[in-house]
Amino acid sequence: MSEKPGNQTPDTPNVSETELREMKVDELRQEAKDENISGTSGMRKEELVQEVAKARSEGGGNGDGGTDADDLGAGPEGGRIRHGDASSSSLKYSQEVTSTEDEPEREGRSLATTHHEVIRQWAEERGGSPATVEGTEHGDHLGVLRIDFGGDDSNLRRVSWEEWFKTFDGRRLNFIYQEQRTDGSQSNFFRLENPEREDA
Protein backbone atom coordinates (compact mmCIF):
# COMPACT_ATOMS: atom_id res chain seq x y z
CA MET A 1 0.00 0.00 0.00
CA SER A 2 1.44 3.38 -0.94
CA GLU A 3 2.06 5.99 1.69
CA LYS A 4 -0.40 8.89 1.76
CA PRO A 5 1.22 12.27 1.19
CA GLY A 6 -0.65 13.80 4.12
CA ASN A 7 -2.29 17.13 3.47
CA GLN A 8 0.18 18.29 0.85
CA THR A 9 -1.49 19.31 -2.37
CA PRO A 10 0.44 18.10 -5.40
CA ASP A 11 -0.74 20.93 -7.66
CA THR A 12 0.65 23.81 -5.60
CA PRO A 13 4.34 24.05 -6.54
CA ASN A 14 6.67 26.50 -4.76
CA VAL A 15 4.12 27.06 -2.00
CA SER A 16 4.91 25.79 1.46
CA GLU A 17 1.66 24.68 3.04
CA THR A 18 3.63 23.76 6.14
CA GLU A 19 4.62 27.41 6.43
CA LEU A 20 0.98 28.47 5.98
CA ARG A 21 -0.20 26.02 8.65
CA GLU A 22 2.15 27.64 11.16
CA MET A 23 0.32 30.95 10.70
CA LYS A 24 -2.59 32.03 12.89
CA VAL A 25 -6.08 31.95 11.39
CA ASP A 26 -6.25 35.76 11.38
CA GLU A 27 -2.98 35.93 9.47
CA LEU A 28 -4.27 33.35 7.00
CA ARG A 29 -7.46 35.35 6.52
CA GLN A 30 -5.33 38.41 5.78
CA GLU A 31 -3.24 36.42 3.30
CA ALA A 32 -6.47 35.24 1.67
CA LYS A 33 -7.71 38.84 1.52
CA ASP A 34 -4.43 39.93 -0.09
CA GLU A 35 -4.97 37.21 -2.69
CA ASN A 36 -8.55 38.50 -3.27
CA ILE A 37 -10.14 35.28 -2.00
CA SER A 38 -13.72 35.93 -0.94
CA GLY A 39 -15.82 34.23 1.72
CA THR A 40 -12.91 33.69 4.11
CA SER A 41 -14.83 34.56 7.29
CA GLY A 42 -16.59 31.19 7.23
CA MET A 43 -13.54 29.10 6.33
CA ARG A 44 -11.71 26.84 8.74
CA LYS A 45 -7.93 26.93 8.99
CA GLU A 46 -7.28 24.02 6.61
CA GLU A 47 -9.59 25.53 3.98
CA LEU A 48 -7.73 28.84 4.27
CA VAL A 49 -4.38 27.04 3.87
CA GLN A 50 -5.61 25.30 0.71
CA GLU A 51 -7.15 28.43 -0.80
CA VAL A 52 -4.11 30.65 -0.12
CA ALA A 53 -1.72 27.98 -1.45
CA LYS A 54 -3.85 27.59 -4.57
CA ALA A 55 -4.08 31.36 -5.15
CA ARG A 56 -0.34 31.80 -4.66
CA SER A 57 0.51 29.02 -7.08
CA GLU A 58 -1.87 30.47 -9.69
CA GLY A 59 -0.78 34.06 -9.17
CA GLY A 60 2.92 33.35 -8.84
CA GLY A 61 2.93 34.82 -5.33
CA ASN A 62 4.60 38.04 -6.40
CA GLY A 63 2.94 40.16 -3.74
CA ASP A 64 5.22 42.41 -1.75
CA GLY A 65 3.75 41.19 1.52
CA GLY A 66 2.53 44.70 2.26
CA THR A 67 -0.97 45.45 3.43
CA ASP A 68 -3.67 47.25 1.49
CA ALA A 69 -5.03 50.58 2.66
CA ASP A 70 -8.32 48.84 3.47
CA ASP A 71 -6.57 46.07 5.42
CA LEU A 72 -8.46 45.34 8.63
CA GLY A 73 -6.60 42.53 10.37
CA ALA A 74 -6.18 42.77 14.11
CA GLY A 75 -5.42 46.48 14.46
CA PRO A 76 -2.52 48.14 16.30
CA GLU A 77 -3.26 46.51 19.67
CA GLY A 78 -3.54 43.00 18.23
CA GLY A 79 -7.14 42.92 19.47
CA ARG A 80 -6.12 43.49 23.10
CA ILE A 81 -8.17 45.76 25.34
CA ARG A 82 -6.86 49.28 25.95
CA HIS A 83 -6.62 50.26 29.61
CA GLY A 84 -6.64 53.66 31.27
CA ASP A 85 -7.70 55.59 34.37
CA ALA A 86 -11.32 55.81 33.22
CA SER A 87 -11.74 52.10 32.36
CA SER A 88 -15.24 51.05 33.34
CA SER A 89 -16.14 48.15 35.60
CA SER A 90 -17.95 46.54 32.66
CA LEU A 91 -14.61 46.45 30.83
CA LYS A 92 -12.96 44.88 33.86
CA TYR A 93 -15.52 42.05 33.90
CA SER A 94 -15.62 41.52 30.13
CA GLN A 95 -13.99 38.56 28.39
CA GLU A 96 -11.13 39.79 26.21
CA VAL A 97 -11.40 38.70 22.56
CA THR A 98 -8.20 38.85 20.49
CA SER A 99 -9.11 36.60 17.56
CA THR A 100 -12.06 35.77 15.32
CA GLU A 101 -11.69 32.21 16.66
CA ASP A 102 -12.39 33.22 20.30
CA GLU A 103 -15.75 32.01 21.62
CA PRO A 104 -17.75 33.52 24.52
CA GLU A 105 -17.32 31.53 27.74
CA ARG A 106 -21.12 31.48 28.13
CA GLU A 107 -24.27 32.94 26.58
CA GLY A 108 -24.82 36.57 27.51
CA ARG A 109 -21.13 37.07 28.35
CA SER A 110 -19.90 40.64 28.03
CA LEU A 111 -17.01 40.73 25.55
CA ALA A 112 -14.41 43.38 24.74
CA THR A 113 -11.96 43.78 21.88
CA THR A 114 -10.06 46.20 19.66
CA HIS A 115 -9.68 43.56 16.91
CA HIS A 116 -10.81 45.10 13.62
CA GLU A 117 -11.87 41.87 11.93
CA VAL A 118 -13.77 40.66 15.02
CA ILE A 119 -15.73 43.94 15.10
CA ARG A 120 -16.41 43.94 11.36
CA GLN A 121 -17.61 40.32 11.38
CA TRP A 122 -19.82 40.93 14.41
CA ALA A 123 -21.45 43.95 12.75
CA GLU A 124 -21.89 42.35 9.34
CA GLU A 125 -23.42 39.17 10.81
CA ARG A 126 -26.15 41.50 12.15
CA GLY A 127 -26.55 43.55 8.97
CA GLY A 128 -24.63 46.45 10.50
CA SER A 129 -22.50 49.03 8.71
CA PRO A 130 -19.93 51.50 10.09
CA ALA A 131 -21.43 54.93 10.65
CA THR A 132 -20.95 58.27 12.36
CA VAL A 133 -23.47 60.65 13.93
CA GLU A 134 -24.05 63.65 11.65
CA GLY A 135 -23.16 66.99 13.20
CA THR A 136 -20.60 65.60 15.65
CA GLU A 137 -17.60 65.85 13.32
CA HIS A 138 -14.38 67.54 14.43
CA GLY A 139 -13.15 69.31 11.29
CA ASP A 140 -12.14 66.56 8.87
CA HIS A 141 -12.40 63.88 11.54
CA LEU A 142 -15.40 61.64 12.07
CA GLY A 143 -17.67 62.42 14.98
CA VAL A 144 -19.34 59.94 17.31
CA LEU A 145 -18.93 56.39 15.99
CA ARG A 146 -21.89 54.06 15.68
CA ILE A 147 -22.92 50.92 13.83
CA ASP A 148 -25.97 51.36 11.62
CA PHE A 149 -28.24 48.32 11.77
CA GLY A 150 -30.58 49.79 9.15
CA GLY A 151 -33.03 51.46 11.52
CA ASP A 152 -34.70 54.79 10.91
CA ASP A 153 -32.05 56.96 12.59
CA SER A 154 -31.60 59.74 10.04
CA ASN A 155 -28.69 61.20 12.04
CA LEU A 156 -26.40 58.33 11.05
CA ARG A 157 -24.11 58.63 8.04
CA ARG A 158 -22.46 55.49 6.76
CA VAL A 159 -18.67 55.55 6.36
CA SER A 160 -16.01 53.06 5.26
CA TRP A 161 -14.55 50.56 7.72
CA GLU A 162 -11.16 52.12 7.01
CA GLU A 163 -12.36 55.57 8.20
CA TRP A 164 -14.22 54.05 11.14
CA PHE A 165 -11.21 52.09 12.40
CA LYS A 166 -8.86 55.03 11.85
CA THR A 167 -11.03 57.04 14.24
CA PHE A 168 -11.57 54.05 16.58
CA ASP A 169 -7.80 53.57 16.95
CA GLY A 170 -7.04 57.30 17.00
CA ARG A 171 -9.36 57.70 20.00
CA ARG A 172 -8.01 54.52 21.63
CA LEU A 173 -11.50 53.08 21.99
CA ASN A 174 -12.56 49.64 23.20
CA PHE A 175 -15.50 47.78 21.66
CA ILE A 176 -17.66 46.19 24.39
CA TYR A 177 -20.33 43.87 23.03
CA GLN A 178 -22.36 40.67 23.30
CA GLU A 179 -22.64 37.78 20.85
CA GLN A 180 -25.81 36.45 22.47
CA ARG A 181 -28.28 37.41 25.14
CA THR A 182 -28.53 35.15 28.17
CA ASP A 183 -31.41 33.30 26.46
CA GLY A 184 -29.12 32.40 23.54
CA SER A 185 -30.70 34.77 20.99
CA GLN A 186 -28.44 37.02 18.91
CA SER A 187 -27.55 40.30 20.59
CA ASN A 188 -26.91 43.65 18.91
CA PHE A 189 -25.64 45.22 22.13
CA PHE A 190 -22.39 47.15 21.89
CA ARG A 191 -20.80 50.29 23.22
CA LEU A 192 -17.56 52.14 22.64
CA GLU A 193 -15.43 53.21 25.55
CA ASN A 194 -12.37 55.38 25.84
CA PRO A 195 -10.41 54.11 28.87
CA GLU A 196 -8.75 57.52 29.28
CA ARG A 197 -11.97 59.55 29.31
CA GLU A 198 -15.42 58.98 30.73
CA ASP A 199 -17.04 59.66 27.34
CA ALA A 200 -16.20 58.03 24.03
Side-chain angles (χ1 to χ4, degrees):
M1 211 162 84
S2 65
E3 217 179 295
K4 287 186 179 174
N7 287 328
Q8 296 300 318
T9 312
D11 59 352
T12 51
N14 306 321
V15 177
S16 167
E17 290 184 19
T18 308
E19 185 186 318
L20 291 174
R21 280 194 192 88
E22 287 170 3
M23 295 171 79
K24 291 182 176 152
V25 172
D26 290 337
E27 293 169 333
L28 282 166
R29 283 212 173 96
Q30 186 53 51
E31 288 290 323
K33 185 175 178 178
D34 291 344
E35 296 289 351
N36 295 318
I37 299 166
S38 58
T40 57
S41 59
M43 288 184 189
R44 298 202 176 279
K45 185 169 185 176
E46 187 56 35
E47 293 173 291
L48 287 163
V49 167
Q50 298 294 332
E51 288 297 320
V52 170
K54 185 176 156 194
R56 280 187 180 176
S57 66
E58 287 169 358
N62 57 1
D64 59 3
T67 52
D68 296 338
D70 63 345
D71 160 29
L72 293 182
E77 313 291 333
R80 288 181 300 282
I81 297 170
R82 298 168 174 129
H83 294 280
D85 293 340
S87 290
S88 68
S89 57
S90 59
L91 184 69
K92 196 189 308 182
Y93 297 113
S94 295
Q95 176 187 335
E96 188 174 47
V97 174
T98 58
S99 162
T100 53
E101 301 301 300
D102 289 353
E103 295 284 335
E105 292 161 357
R106 63 177 186 277
E107 290 172 347
R109 184 78 164 98
S110 178
L111 308 171
T113 191
T114 60
H115 195 295
H116 293 185
E117 191 62 25
V118 168
I119 296 168
R120 186 187 67 81
Q121 279 186 30
W122 180 89
E124 291 180 354
E125 280 169 8
R126 291 157 176 76
S129 299
T132 185
V133 178
E134 287 278 33
T136 61
E137 297 84 359
H138 308 285
D140 293 338
H141 303 292
L142 294 185
V144 176
L145 296 180
R146 290 287 181 263
I147 291 180
D148 182 0
F149 294 107
D152 53 7
D153 190 341
S154 59
N155 290 334
L156 292 184
R157 175 175 66 84
R158 291 190 178 189
V159 296
S160 71
W161 278 117
E162 186 183 359
E163 285 180 281
W164 198 94
F165 282 119
K166 186 177 176 186
T167 304
F168 177 81
D169 292 328
R171 291 187 191 146
R172 293 186 41 74
L173 300 179
N174 288 310
F175 188 81
I176 301 171
Y177 68 109
Q178 273 184 322
E179 283 286 349
Q180 298 161 314
R181 297 187 184 95
T182 48
D183 64 5
S185 62
Q186 191 178 65
S187 173
N188 282 10
F189 167 80
F190 81 95
R191 72 188 182 88
L192 299 169
E193 178 187 289
N194 182 321
E196 272 119 34
R197 290 202 321 265
E198 291 297 333
D199 62 319

